[in-house]
Structure formats: structure tokens, C-alpha cells
Amino acid sequence: MLDCRLGAVVRLITAFVIFTGIAVAQTAQRPWMDKSNSPEQRAALLVRRMTLDEKITMMHGVEPIPIKGYVGYVPPITRLGIPALTEADGRAGVGNDATGVTLLPAPIAAASSWDPGLLYMFGRVLGEEEWKKGTNVALSPSIDVVRVPEWGRTFESYGEDPYFNGQMAQSEIRGIQSQGPIANANMYVTMNQESNRFEEDSIVDERTLHEIYLAPFAAAVEKGNVGTVMCAYVKTNSVFSCESSDVLTEMLRKDLHFDGFVMSDWGATHSTVDAVENGLNQEMPGDKYFGAALKAAVEAGRVSQSTIDERVEQILVPMFRQGLFDKANTGSWSADVRTPEHTSFSLRAAEEGTVLLKNENKLLPLAKSVSIAVIGEAGGDKPKAEGSGSSGVKPPYIVSPVDALRKVAAAGASITFSDGSDIAAAEETARKATVAIVFVHTDETEGHDRPNLMLPGHQDAMIEAVANANLKTIVVLDTGGPVLMPWVDKVAGILEAWYPGQEDGNAIAAILYGDVNPSAKLPLTFPRSATAIPTASQQQWPGIDGRSVYAEKLNVGYRWYDATNTQPLFPFGFGLSYTSFRLGDMKVSPGRVQAGASFRNVVVRVNVTNTGKRAGAEVVQVYVEQPAANGEPPHQLHAFSKVELRPGETKPVVLNLDQLSFSIYDADAHQWKTPAGTYQILVGTSSRDLPLHGDVTISR
Ligand code: BGC
């Protein structure tokens, strides 16, 4: 018996010695496989062994892609054990015509939850499905600040505030990267319109660039630890993003300390030497500039070997950091990667992203016994669940609102439907029901801005007609961005459901019937008129002679409405609930802080009480008003926190303001500074409802 055990132990030890021997031999041959070294050390060791051809192979995609799926592909280098890069789209689910994937709500909807934890989960779901599809670089998220309300890709991003976008970006990135793939912060930078997008020149001053447009990328890099960045199609201050030393070297590498790799947007590379010298690592999707042309430039001495080494190391670092060399991705493009958890997350995200904008006489939530007329094609068999373009996802199904309402309504409650193509028929249907719910939508897409902010077609007329026929009319907006509402005073209720993903109808039914209490807030301003917006002049958008001048400077989104005393239709941060809340007992401490290395966060404490009869969640928002001498917009968001409360319950909420909250970018010195002075702290539940005030004095 003892002998037998001894034998087993000996065999085990021998196996261990052989295995370790092989591993040691392997790491002796391939020292970059030694995991005890840092990603930077491993990348440096590997680059030393690579030939020029191998290095160049890593610096561009190949077309056509030799395997099924993906939109970008860099082949493996088997001699050195370098895995292929498999890059796939997916802002709201795996894209590029993948099947067997979950369609999530549009990112603008998820962001409307004002819950970074939900964005982390959003990233996890997306990252897990991408990884199981074999993707190791997920081309997500899109984090540009929404400057122009007509921007055709508003739905792919988070909103109009740089701090807010930064919070959402870092959370989603951490979620994606926790599941295997390297995430990709896009589109860098000043990608704020689709009109003329391949040549558009964004003319923007340095201070605005840093404080507004760079800020989400700073959070993505510094807090999200994102592995890759996609440079945009547009020019920033007359230089294409993908070959600009200001954009790629000065801002991204030097200011933000980004140590991963920059890939070009598809077809956004315009040169060989300028692009590689100024910081582009990888041309996508092909090799026009970074294939033979790059090799020739190196051989002719126009690009140095050390530049190539640096660019390749920057590609390898996030690959090592993300473990791509140490764990094989066994996923496959043909796999069905959905799970019940992902389905329920898609539903939860849609519910938590739906913003209640109006609820006259507490018409909502509806009793399950009322008779309802559902009007509009998006309420029936043409649900508007996602936007179009490269972010498109093949949904496994979409739950139509009318089907979901019929399922949840009490037995005998009549739910009728009219697609709205015939306004007289829609009116008739609405008149016969107790409540009319009109579903309207916009068709937003990459490649085109909306021509204006009106609902397309005859939808405004349809709403007016239905509202005239039935006083209890509720409008559900399936839009990717803000729309004008000439009928706003005529309807009793308005919900902004955005593009809600595959669970569309289930989410909307849960909100309408009150099974879920809405808690979302607008991540961007809804204007009252087409002219009362920050970018109303043609010079600003779409630009004149290819130049879009960012003349509004720091006054982007709500900052402009506040600076110009313009009344929005619905302000940034606004959203109603079926219950009510009270904020009080605000304390700001300490009252005095020293700027610089010894800066300590300013802590804001507020008590929030649910004063209504239903459980619900409120978002406490903290805005900072800088001293007038700083030349900043009236007040700016610098902290927020969502809190869930039972009826009657009070909870303390603690929020932190870091040094950036009290800083401005000094364009003369090319750096941030924290001017001394007294800063007002404004707390409330939207950018236009800030009843609690405190202050803090910053000294130097
Ligand atoms: C889009 C990117 C996308 C890429 C690949 C480009 O046109 O701007 O967002 O990742 O195509 O599909």
C-alpha cells in the first residue's frame, strides 16, 4: 500500500519535473512567455526577436479576412506564438452580422440609468459575448461628447457631459476587459458629426479640447486602463486625427500617458511616414499605408527602426496585459453565446434607461385593466430597437410593445393597434380606448446626421391627432437623440425609451404598468426649438467649406443653455419617478482645501428621503460653480450617485469631488491649474433643479 502511494508520489514528482522542464525550456526559447515579467518587459523581449516583416504584419489589418466573422483581422505569427487579433464591432451587442448574440439597449439608453455599475455589467455582457465569439479586441465603447444634437451616432455614445461620459466609459471598459477582450475607446477625437465625416475639420481651441472633448478619453485611459484607442475620421485643427502629433503624441501619450495602441478607424489612415511618426500603431482594415509602403519607408531610412519597435511594443503591451498570450481564446464566430442572464440584463438595462419626461395627473402607471390603443408602427411589428451602421446587431428577436402589453394586461382588457399610417384610423382607434399610447421613432444611423430635430414623416401630426381624440395620450419616443415636441402640452405622458434592444416591449410594459418604477435621467438636453441650441449656426454645424468651428467653446450641452439663459424643453439630468424624493442636510467638508499635491477630496454629504408611497431610485447630482475669474460655464457636473429607497426611507449619500472639479486647463501653460478662490457646490436632481448650496475655498 505504502509502496503504491510512494510510486504515485514519485510519478507525480517526475511529471512535475518534466512539465516544469518543458516550461523552463519553453521560456528559455521564448523568454517573453515568462509571466513573472511585466507586460512592458515581455513586449520588449519579444520585439527583439521579431523581423521587420513580422513587425509590419502587426501594424495593419488584412483584407479579405481569411476566417469567418470580425471586421478587422491581424494574422498570427506562429513562429513566435503571437496570436491573431480578431476585432469585432459591438456597441450594443456583437456586431458584424454575428448571430446568436444578445441585442442590448443603445449605449445612450444604458447611460440614462446614471448608474456606472450598470455600465460595468453592460461591458461584462458585451465582453463575454465578444470573447465567446473569438473576438479579442472589442471595438467598444464610443465615448465622444455629444456636441451636435442632430449627430447621427448620438445613440452610440453616452451624452453631452465630459465627466459623465468619462464615468460611463471607464465602467464599460472595465466590464469588457474583465471578460477577455481588449476594449477600444473610440472615436478619438472631435468626432462630433457625421456630415462630411471623412474630411471634416473640427476647429477647436486647446482649452475646450482638453476640458470637453479629451476628458472622456482621459478617464478611459487613466481610470479604465483601456488597451486600445481608435483615431477618428475627422481632422482636428486641420490635421487628420490618425496622423496628428498633437492628437496622438502630445495629448494621448504625453498628457494621458496612454501605453496601449492606436488603430485607425476603417479607412482613416492617410499617410505612412506622418502617421507612424506621429503615433499611429495600426492601420485598419488593410495595408495601403502600413504594408509595403511602410517597409519601403523603413528601408529608405525615412522611418527609423526604433519608431517601428516602439509602435509594435505598444501593440504588444495590452496584449500581454490582457493575457492574450497566456490563455487561448477558444471561442468561435458560429457559437450561440446568449445566456438567460444576458437576456434578463438586456431587459433590466432597458427598464433602467427609460426616462419618464412627463406624467400629468399621475396618469402613469396604468392599471392593468384599462383599455389601451397602441398607435404607431414602432409599437407593433416594426419595433425600433436599435440604430444603424457598424454598431448594428442581428437581434435574436425583438419583443413588440403591443405583444408585451397584451401579455401583461388583465384578462379582458382590450389592447387595440393601429400602425398610424392612416391618421383617421389612428384617431378612431384612440377614441375608443381609455388610454392611447403613441410610439414614434427616428431612424438614426452612422454616416448621416439628422437633417433637423423633428420627428420624421407625419409622426408629429399623428400625435396631435391622437391627442385631440384622446385626452389620455402617452407618447413613447424610440429615438437615439433629442427631438422637438411641438405637441408637448397636448399629451398627458412622455417616455423616452431610446433604442431599447431586444426586450423593447417587455421593458416598456413594465414601466407603463408600474411593475418597474422609472429612475432614468436625461444624459443630454432636449431643446425647445431648432434655433435655441448650442450649435445653431451653419459655421458650427455642419460647417462651411469643410470646417466646423467650435465657436461655442466650453458651452457644450447644458452649459450653453445656462450661460445664455435659454430654457430647455427638458434639461440635462432630468427624469421623473412614480414616487417623490426630498434632498436635505447637505454638508460640504472641509470648507477649505489646499490645491496641489496635498489636495484632499472635498466630501459632499446629503440625505435623500423617499417621500412617496413606492420604492424608487433617485440620482443625486453635484455641480460646481467656479469663481467668475476662472471663465468657466455657470456650473458643471462633477459627481453623482444613484440611491434606491423604500417608501419613507432616508439614506445618506456621500459624494467626492477631486481636484479636477476645481481646475481649468491653462492653454498658455499647456497644463491644468487649480485657481484659488471660493467655489459654489450645487446639489439637486437635474442641471436645472439644484436647491442645495454649499461652498469650498481653495487656497494655494
Ligand atoms: C466606424 C467604426 C467601426 C468601423 C468598423 C467605421 O466606419 O466608424 O465605428 O468600428 O467602421 O466597422
Side-chain angles (χ1 to χ4, degrees):
M1 186 64 183
L2 191 66
D3 274 2
C4 189
R5 263 197 224 153
L6 254 178
V9 170
V10 168
R11 275 198 301 279
L12 245 164
I13 291 174
T14 318
F16 178 75
V17 168
I18 292 172
F19 180 78
T20 332
I22 292 172
V24 167
Q26 235 179 28
T27 47
Q29 277 167 8
R30 291 183 169 175
W32 57 90
M33 291 307 288
D34 180 352
K35 285 194 245 173
S36 63
N37 286 323
S38 70
E40 293 77 12
Q41 289 166 328
R42 296 175 70 180
L45 286 167
L46 175 50
V47 164
R48 261 183 246 155
R49 296 285 184 88
M50 294 171 77
T51 65
L52 178 60
D53 283 329
E54 285 167 341
K55 290 173 193 168
I56 295 214
T57 297
M58 297 214 67
M59 293 179 71
H60 62 81
V62 296
E63 284 186 298
I65 293 172
I67 53 171
K68 194 168 159 6
Y70 317 107
V71 69
Y73 183 76
V74 177
I77 301 175
T78 32
R79 181 180 82 86
L80 302 168
I82 303 178
L85 288 177
T86 44
E87 305 175 354
D89 278 311
R91 308 278 142 74
V94 182
N96 312 134
D97 293 326
T99 53
V101 299
T102 304
L103 172 60
L104 298 165
I108 193 91
S112 300
S113 68
W114 283 61
D115 179 1
L118 186 126
L119 266 289
Y120 176 78
M121 282 306 299
F122 192 94
R124 274 186 68 116
V125 170
L126 195 55
E128 184 186 324
E129 295 204 358
E130 290 278 18
W131 187 253
K132 287 184 174 166
K133 283 281 181 189
T135 307
N136 57 22
V137 182
L139 303 179
S140 227
S142 260
I143 66 177
D144 292 276
V145 164
V146 178
R147 167 183 183 246
V148 175
E150 295 91 343
W151 184 32
R153 300 182 85 167
T154 298
F155 70 91
E156 291 183 48
S157 188
Y158 303 127
E160 71 187 18
D161 181 84
Y163 169 79
F164 178 86
N165 280 23
Q167 291 295 307
M168 298 302 161
Q170 54 172 294
S171 306
E172 184 174 343
I173 288 163
R174 278 192 268 109
I176 293 171
Q177 295 193 158
S178 74
Q179 298 304 300
I182 304 176
N184 174 260
N186 57 68
M187 293 152 290
Y188 182 69
V189 62
T190 71
M191 185 70 210
N192 304 115
Q193 64 181 59
E194 293 305 281
S195 307
N196 195 24
R197 70 171 173 159
F198 297 123
E199 279 135 43
E200 189 262 329
D201 187 0
S202 306
I203 307 296
V204 52
D205 65 275
E206 186 177 335
R207 178 169 175 181
T208 304
L209 194 50
H210 282 262
E211 290 191 19
I212 305 287
Y213 299 101
L214 193 57
F217 290 93
V221 171
E222 291 164 356
K223 308 226 171 80
N225 208 9
V226 73
T228 70
V229 167
M230 182 189 286
C231 52
Y233 288 125
V234 295
K235 295 175 189 153
T236 302
N237 294 326
S238 307
V239 186
F240 279 115
S241 308
C242 297
E243 60 189 41
S244 162
S245 66
D246 277 351
V247 167
L248 299 180
T249 305
E250 296 304 319
M251 297 196 316
L252 191 60
R253 299 279 177 202
K254 293 196 186 151
D255 293 343
L256 308 190
H257 309 292
F258 177 61
D259 66 356
F261 70 96
V262 180
M263 68 175 73
S264 73
D265 199 342
W266 269 231
T269 311
H270 294 278
S271 61
T272 300
V273 178
D274 280 358
V276 76
E277 287 292 348
N278 291 329
L280 181 65
N281 301 83
Q282 196 172 71
E283 176 187 7
M284 276 294 157
D287 65 353
K288 183 167 176 199
Y289 296 101
F290 274 29
L294 182 55
K295 186 175 179 190
V298 176
E299 285 169 346
R302 286 184 294 129
V303 172
S304 70
Q305 277 285 357
S306 65
T307 299
I308 298 291
D309 288 354
E310 189 180 69
R311 294 292 165 270
V312 174
E313 266 182 53
Q314 289 162 341
I315 299 174
L316 293 168
V317 165
M319 291 176 70
F320 279 114
R321 187 172 292 146
Q322 212 35 46
L324 300 190
F325 282 81
D326 308 321
K327 57 174 191 285
N329 185 341
T330 52
S332 138
W333 193 254
S334 52
D336 187 332
V337 295
R338 293 170 297 160
T339 69
E341 292 75 28
H342 295 183
T343 302
S344 40
F345 176 77
S346 189
L347 173 62
R348 176 162 86 92
E351 291 167 348
E352 297 198 15
T354 300
V355 193
L356 178 61
L357 294 175
K358 183 171 182 185
N359 191 16
E360 212 168 69
N361 302 325
K362 298 201 171 141
L363 175 59
L364 293 172
L366 302 173
K368 289 184 178 156
S369 53
V370 293
S371 68
I372 298 175
V374 177
I375 317 277
E377 59 181 22
D381 59 5
K382 289 189 185 150
K384 185 65 197 169
E386 61 171 324
S388 313
S390 62
S391 69
V393 175
K394 267 191 189 309
Y397 60 84
I398 299 172
V399 178
S400 100
V402 72
D403 288 349
L405 288 166
R406 283 184 177 140
K407 217 168 62 198
V408 186
S414 129
I415 311 280
T416 53
F417 176 71
S418 162
D419 70 6
S421 53
D422 175 347
I423 291 191
E427 261 178 315
E428 189 54 24
T429 314
R431 196 169 290 122
K432 288 189 191 143
T434 308
V435 172
I437 305 177
V438 191
F439 287 82
V440 289
H441 67 281
T442 54
D443 291 308
E444 283 160 60
T445 179
E446 175 182 339
H448 298 279
D449 291 326
R450 283 186 284 159
N452 55 54
L453 296 173
M454 307 289 285
L455 285 168
H458 70 293
Q459 297 185 97
D460 283 328
M462 175 175 80
I463 296 173
E464 299 254 1
V466 171
N468 285 335
N470 189 324
L471 284 176
K472 294 184 176 171
T473 292
I474 294 155
V475 174
V476 177
L477 298 158
D478 283 318
T479 70
V483 288
L484 299 178
M485 304 184 201
W487 33 261
V488 66
D489 296 326
K490 298 190 181 141
V491 301
I494 305 172
L495 280 164
E496 175 53 89
W498 312 106
Y499 297 148
Q502 67 187 33
E503 290 288 322
D504 183 344
N506 287 339
I508 207 72
I511 299 261
L512 288 168
Y513 286 127
D515 293 331
V516 167
N517 187 355
S519 61
K521 306 276 177 180
L522 291 180
L524 35 73
T525 308
F526 276 50
R528 259 179 204 277
S529 93
T531 49
I533 60 169
T535 48
S537 79
Q538 203 193 331
Q539 185 206 37
Q540 290 168 293
W541 175 80
I544 296 172
D545 296 333
R547 289 159 56 93
S548 302
V549 181
Y550 287 39
E552 72 287 355
K553 299 193 168 186
L554 299 174
N555 287 327
V556 176
Y558 65 89
R559 291 163 169 75
W560 179 86
Y561 292 82
D562 296 334
T564 58
N565 249 316
T566 306
Q567 198 57 35
L569 182 61
F570 295 109
F572 174 82
F574 174 79
L576 299 169
S577 163
Y578 295 152
T579 185
S580 49
F581 302 94
R582 190 182 56 234
L583 270 57
D585 313 318
M586 172 181 168
K587 285 188 196 69
V588 178
S589 63
R592 216 167 226 294
V593 184
Q594 179 137 27
S598 58
F599 182 92
R600 278 193 298 128
N601 280 354
V602 173
V603 180
V604 180
R605 289 187 177 78
V606 189
N607 281 338
V608 190
T609 306
N610 182 344
T611 52
K613 295 195 172 62
R614 302 174 63 102
E618 181 55 295
V619 179
V620 180
Q621 304 170 30
V622 181
Y623 295 76
V624 176
E625 181 185 322
Q626 300 214 6
N630 290 7
E632 286 288 303
H635 54 260
Q636 309 184 72
L637 183 74
H638 278 293
F640 59 89
S641 178
K642 191 168 190 172
V643 53
E644 281 180 35
L645 297 160
R646 293 188 307 273
E649 191 184 13
T650 298
K651 273 188 190 165
V653 178
V654 180
L655 304 108
N656 277 282
L657 294 169
D658 62 8
Q659 185 155 213
L660 213 53
S661 320
F662 307 100
S663 299
I664 63 174
Y665 186 82
D666 180 345
D668 295 327
H670 308 295
Q671 62 184 27
W672 289 89
K673 69 173 183 197
T674 310
T678 298
Y679 292 71
Q680 303 298 319
I681 313 294
L682 314 176
V683 177
T685 56
S686 91
S687 62
R688 285 283 169 127
D689 182 12
L690 300 168
L692 305 181
H693 296 187
D695 62 54
V696 55
T697 298
I698 307 284
S699 60
R700 297 205 56 86

